[in-house]
Amino acid sequence: MLLSSFVGALGLFGENLGRIEEINIKGLDVEMIIVYKYNLIFVAILDKEFIKHDIREEAEKSLDIFYSLYRREIEENCNEVSQFASFKNILFTQIEEYFNRIKESQKQLEIGDFGFFTDAIKKLRTNSTN
C-alpha cells in the first residue's frame, strides 16, 4: 500500500515537471526501478547485487505485453485485478528467460567467448606474452 502511494505521488510530482519515463532509486541493499508507459507503471525491487543488464528494456517489454493483452480492459477502466492473473505466468517466463540470458553472458565472459572479437583477443593475449 505504501509503495503504490509512493509511486502515485511520484506520478503527480512528475506532472509538474513533465512526464516521467523512468525512476531509479538506489538504497543500501536494494534498488527500485520504476518505468512508466501506456499510463501503466512497472515497479521492480531488486537486490543491489542483482545484475541489471537492459533492465529498463525488460520492464518496457513487460508493459508492452501487458498492454497488448489487456488493452480493452485498460481502456474500459476495468478495476477487477483478478482478470489480469494470467499475466503472472507470462512475467514468470520473462524473468526466467532474463536469468538464463544473464547466466549465459556470465559463462561467455568466464570462458572468454566474445563473439566476433574472440580471435582478436586471443592474438592480443598471445602477442603480449611473447
Side-chain angles (χ1 to χ4, degrees), residues 58 61 92-102:
E58 289 295 320
K61 188 162 101 178
F92 181 78
T93 301
Q94 183 185 3
I95 292 168
E96 274 187 322
E97 289 172 358
Y98 178 79
F99 280 131
N100 290 337
R101 278 196 315 275
I102 294 297

Side-chain angles (χ1 to χ4, degrees), residues 55-94:
I55 199 73
R56 176 181 166 71
E57 289 80 4
E58 289 295 320
E60 281 191 12
K61 188 162 101 178
S62 291
L63 290 172
D64 291 341
I65 294 168
F66 187 86
Y67 187 73
S68 69
L69 287 172
Y70 302 110
R71 182 179 190 156
R72 184 180 55 79
E73 291 86 347
I74 293 167
E75 289 173 353
E76 292 175 1
N77 291 319
C78 293
N79 294 322
E80 182 56 44
V81 177
S82 64
Q83 66 188 340
F84 306 117
S86 62
F87 187 71
K88 286 182 185 179
N89 294 331
I90 295 167
L91 189 58
F92 181 78
T93 301
Q94 183 185 3

Side-chain angles (χ1 to χ4, degrees), residues 121-130:
I121 292 169
K122 285 178 185 175
K123 287 178 184 176
L124 284 172
R125 287 180 181 163
T126 303
N127 291 338
S128 67
T129 58
N130 291 333

